[in-house]
Amino acid sequence: MLHRLSLITLFIGGLAAGAAQASTPDVAARKDLTLALGNQLAEATLSACHAQDRSAVVAVVDRSGRLMALQRDDNVGPHNTLAAQRKAFTALSTKTPTSELARRAQGDPSSANLNTLDELLLLGGGVPVVVEGQVVGALGVAGAGGSSIDEGCAQSAIEQLIQPNN
């Protein structure tokens, strides 16, 4: 019996130590998208495009830039899949809508150099997902008929699912 109580005490002590470590200032606590929310964002984005009689592909990346969800309508050109992924990565990486980056690159020679990075795509349709002031992921949309339409579909999904909770 004493042995069992010692094990229980050790277990509870270990839990308390784990809780103390979780609040250690040198350990980052960050919000991130869940797969469930990533899929909801992808579905809401395509729904927003469909409401305008548009087809598209949407890519969702988590806070580290890794692809977590991808949905593509039928008959969308194959190049749009990579474009959506790059738009999402660009928005996440720069914490800026890609349409804004495109505008900056046109008007500022130092920003134009961003076009030389293969991973980035300075074309509207990428939007960061912000929760409580933190960029937790991004959406990239391509193939809906123009970068402003692509971005509008993504922004609509974010407004529907994220901003009411922010």
Side-chain angles (χ1 to χ4, degrees), residues 69-132:
L70 178 79
Q71 291 190 26
R72 182 185 59 81
D73 278 323
D74 298 334
N75 301 317
V76 174
H79 65 284
N80 288 304
T81 300
L82 181 58
Q85 291 174 354
R86 288 181 57 203
K87 288 178 184 185
F89 180 84
T90 301
L92 178 277
S93 180
T94 62
K95 300 178 178 156
T96 306
T98 55
S99 61
E100 176 61 29
L101 288 173
R103 277 192 291 278
R104 287 182 195 168
Q106 288 175 344
D108 177 15
S110 64
S111 294
N113 288 332
L114 291 172
N115 275 322
T116 65
L117 299 173
D118 290 336
E119 298 83 11
L120 301 183
L121 183 58
L122 305 188
L123 181 63
V127 181
V129 177
V130 180
V131 174
E132 296 175 4

Side-chain angles (χ1 to χ4, degrees), residues 2 6 11 13 27 55 75 87 92 121 123 128 132 134 145 151-152 155:
L2 183 57
S6 295
F11 178 74
V27 177
S55 296
N75 301 317
K87 288 178 184 185
L92 178 277
L121 183 58
L123 181 63
E132 296 175 4
Q134 293 183 36
E151 188 168 318
Q155 191 60 47

